[in-house]
Amino acid sequence: MLKRNRLTMAVATAIGVGAAAAVPQVVSAQEQMLEEVVVTGSRIARDQFSGPTPVISVDSEAIKTQGFISTQDVLDSLTQNTGGSLTQQEVFGFTPAASGIDLRGAGLGRSLTLIDGLRVPKYPQAASGTISFTDTANIPIGAVDRIEVLTSGASAIYGADAMGGVVNIIMKDNFEGIEASVRYSDTDEGGRQTANVSLIAGTSTDNSNTMFFVEYEDKEELYARERSNFDIGNDLAFDNQWGSYSSYGASLRDFSGLPVKTLDPEECESRAPGFTYWPFAGVGICGFNRTSYRMLAPEQDRLSTMLRNRFDFGDNLTLNTNLSYTRSNVWREIEPMPIDEYTFYLEEGIVTAVSDRSGSTAEFPQATAFGGDFADQPDGGYYYTHRAWEYGPRTEEYETDNFRFVTQLEGNFGDHDWDLGWNWSRQDVHSQSYNYASAESFFGYITGQTNGNPNGNSLLDVIPQSDVDATRYTPVNDDVSTLTGAYLSFTGDIFEMPAGMLKYAAGIETYKEFFNRESDFASARNEILSTGGSGGRGTREWDSAYGEFLIPIIDSFELTAAIRYDDYSDFGDSTVMQFAGEWRPIDNLLLRASWGETFRAPDLARVYGTPVLAFNQITDPLGCTN
């Protein structure tokens, strides 16, 4: 029996009143019988002033005049893209090389992203280890003709993922001539310089058009230290005094979280850049300023190419092909590892060290254990906090390859148009990390196994370079996701009704989605200090059938009805419906209302992924003040 949650969409009414100066244009356009086009939100062609739900459109000219330097910048500027949208500023998370959208706060991955009206694969590295989403960071802005955003749920038209809405990124087509573009942007305070060079060329014959596009983009990194408002004094958690600091400098704490032993102020602040002594909870602690290390945006360079061709076989048959490739390199850097993943239990003169990740243990006499740090401590539980500056800042390199091939046959017979297509997309992400240590090898250092110290090594001391080299680990991930799909659609007129023509759109679709995350042995077992991880491998297939009808009730009122059926190989099936009405009591006043059902199939990463180890941080101003 299928179990799922449905969200019934609230009835929404949109009213648009044209300004007086625009009225003659609207009337004139209506008198000239506006060309009918397909606009995101409906599969039935109609004039651009109509539609069952509001659609926002940003064309290439607006992109130029408003100074946007990336496709993600355009999406971030939309007020509908709110809440949990993902940008490359999330350098501390699972997906620093990717961006995603969140329409109307429905959640990341709950809004459908299309390119030329077709699906693309999910990014192979899930956000927070579990959320599948479409990457928008590597879509070349120079190739974008316009971006259409449907601001309401559309599962009955587009299927799963369209819960919060739809973003349709439409690329340039049928271009003739040569056009080159060079853009450069800088910031007042330095950092995040961006250079973009693109070239588009196209040629046509009597029955064909071929277009080639290439774009190169280079973005410099932006460090938090380059912006004063990310330094001290901007974090309510520390009463506007220690906003960018971490208490993870060097200290020994009991299970209450209070330090029982730490470095004195002079020793702390002379240890390494970033270390600072500050009055934590009235006791004092050796802390660390992360600002000088942490990035706000990573460094990126990207090369994108696209080749499109249209060939007309006759009056009613056209072949379209589209081949595109993007290569992106992203580099990020954050502060050195914070280490607190070992627990020490003191009981009856014996200190037992435990590795929290692996469960390994070792015992030592209280008086001499770990440089005497426990000699004067009462029985109980303890843990060290140590900022591993000896390893250097944690850095990651991401290499992303995006491939996409689409072929379509379009034709018509009578008052009916048909479209038969096949598309294949693949994303490969290779990532490599530096200046990490595995939990087990570092446990060998703490317990003295790496350097022959029978009493273990205190984490209040500096880690010798020889031990850093012996415990250093370089995680590697190779991830891939693919999407293969085929579809057949029909649109046209059914018959004339008293108030106008009854129109329809119908079709069938079939898709196969695959993802695979391959990590090195230690990463796959979540054994890398200060970082989480996830893995997994899975395949999903699904078939869909849909129908949409435009029913003219009276001259000024139209009803749109849509129904869709989806059958998933691993989820079950679902049938959803949507109804929308458009009433135009006068020429320049349109009232719309819609009701619909929506659903979302579970993320592949949640169904087939391995257990995820992740770290979340929240700010509790009242608790910290108290």
Side-chain angles (χ1 to χ4, degrees), residues 136-182:
T136 54
N138 292 305
I139 299 175
I141 191 170
V144 174
D145 181 68
R146 67 185 184 278
I147 299 175
E148 295 180 348
V149 182
L150 175 65
T151 58
S152 66
S155 291
I157 298 172
Y158 293 103
D161 303 339
M163 183 176 181
V166 180
V167 171
N168 190 8
I169 301 172
I170 301 169
M171 313 303 274
K172 292 178 180 178
D173 197 8
N174 292 327
F175 183 85
E176 291 188 58
I178 298 177
E179 180 179 292
S181 173
V182 178

Side-chain angles (χ1 to χ4, degrees), residues 407-562:
T407 181
Q408 297 170 296
L409 271 175
E410 299 175 352
N412 62 78
F413 56 94
D415 294 328
H416 306 273
D417 296 324
W418 60 270
D419 187 359
L420 174 65
W422 179 82
N423 66 301
W424 173 84
S425 302
R426 177 184 173 111
Q427 287 189 333
D428 291 270
V429 179
H430 171 80
S431 60
Q432 192 157 321
S433 306
Y434 305 94
N435 300 333
Y436 285 86
S438 71
E440 195 63 15
S441 66
F442 196 82
F443 187 69
Y445 164 73
I446 293 176
T447 57
Q449 299 174 28
T450 60
N451 56 15
N453 186 350
N455 296 311
N457 296 287
S458 170
L459 288 188
L460 298 182
D461 297 334
V462 175
I463 303 174
Q465 185 62 46
S466 59
D467 291 301
V468 170
D469 295 338
T471 58
R472 194 188 299 274
Y473 192 87
T474 301
V476 177
N477 286 278
D478 285 290
D479 310 316
V480 61
S481 65
T482 64
L483 180 71
T484 305
Y487 67 91
L488 174 63
S489 65
F490 298 90
T491 61
D493 302 335
I494 300 179
F495 57 81
E496 187 79 25
M497 297 179 64
M501 183 63 69
L502 174 64
K503 300 183 178 183
Y504 80 99
I508 55 175
E509 301 171 343
T510 181
Y511 290 97
K512 182 177 181 179
E513 190 174 17
F514 166 79
F515 92 102
N516 183 40
R517 294 209 62 193
E518 290 187 2
S519 303
D520 58 275
F521 181 78
S523 296
R525 294 165 60 90
N526 282 321
E527 291 182 356
I528 307 303
L529 289 178
S530 77
T531 187
S534 65
R537 177 188 179 97
T539 300
R540 169 179 292 163
E541 299 179 10
W542 76 95
D543 302 313
S544 307
Y546 64 87
E548 184 181 0
F549 302 91
L550 177 61
I551 308 168
I553 306 300
I554 58 177
D555 290 341
S556 60
F557 180 77
E558 294 179 333
L559 175 67
T560 301

Side-chain angles (χ1 to χ4, degrees), residues 228-249:
S228 59
N229 58 320
F230 283 92
D231 207 338
I232 303 175
N234 290 280
D235 193 335
L236 294 176
F238 299 102
D239 197 22
N240 292 332
Q241 293 182 16
W242 307 98
S244 300
Y245 286 87
S246 165
S247 59
Y248 282 32

